[in-house]
């Protein structure tokens, strides 16, 4: 089986199902993107209420900057380790 199929199977499991369904209700977010967000961020409760919001904003900002870089340059995204 390919990796996409495995991720889709994980998305329907008890751990991720509810969160994936909620994220997929956002226009433009599919199962794979939802799983990427959930696995990257982990359990937001570990940040507390304000910290969780800051984590989401930080990830969204990095994502938007990466999209902007790709669209402006016309080149694939190259991850750069933060200084």
């Amino acid at each position: 089986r390919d990796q996409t199929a495995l991720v889709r199977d994980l998305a329907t499991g008890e751990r991720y199902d509810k969160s994936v369904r909620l994220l997929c209700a956002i226009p433009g977010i599919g199962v794979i993107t939802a799983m990427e967000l959930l696995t990257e961020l982990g359990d937001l409760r570990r940040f507390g209420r304000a910290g969780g919001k800051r984590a989401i904003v930080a990830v969204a900002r990095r994502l938007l900057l990466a999209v902007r870089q790709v669209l402006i340059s016309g080149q694939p995204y190259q991850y750069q380790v933060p200084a």
Side-chain angles (χ1 to χ4, degrees):
R1 296 184 54 176
D2 67 6
Q3 291 180 348
T4 301
L6 294 173
V7 170
R8 288 184 187 281
D9 284 348
L10 279 174
T12 60
E14 183 179 334
R15 180 174 181 180
Y16 295 110
D17 183 56
K18 181 179 178 183
S19 297
V20 167
R21 284 187 284 116
L22 289 170
L23 287 171
C24 285
I26 300 169
I29 304 250
V31 172
I32 301 302
T33 302
M35 286 298 289
E36 287 176 5
L37 289 168
L38 292 169
T39 56
E40 183 68 30
L41 293 173
D43 185 358
L44 292 179
R45 291 175 292 193
R46 74 181 190 274
F47 297 109
R49 180 162 266 185
K53 290 178 184 176
R54 283 192 299 269
I56 291 171
V57 168
V59 169
R61 181 177 182 274
R62 283 187 298 212
L63 176 62
L64 290 173
L65 289 172
V67 168
R68 181 175 181 259
Q69 175 187 337
V70 168
L71 293 176
I72 289 172
S73 71
Q75 299 295 316
Y77 179 72
Q78 297 293 317
Y79 177 74
Q80 298 172 359
V81 177

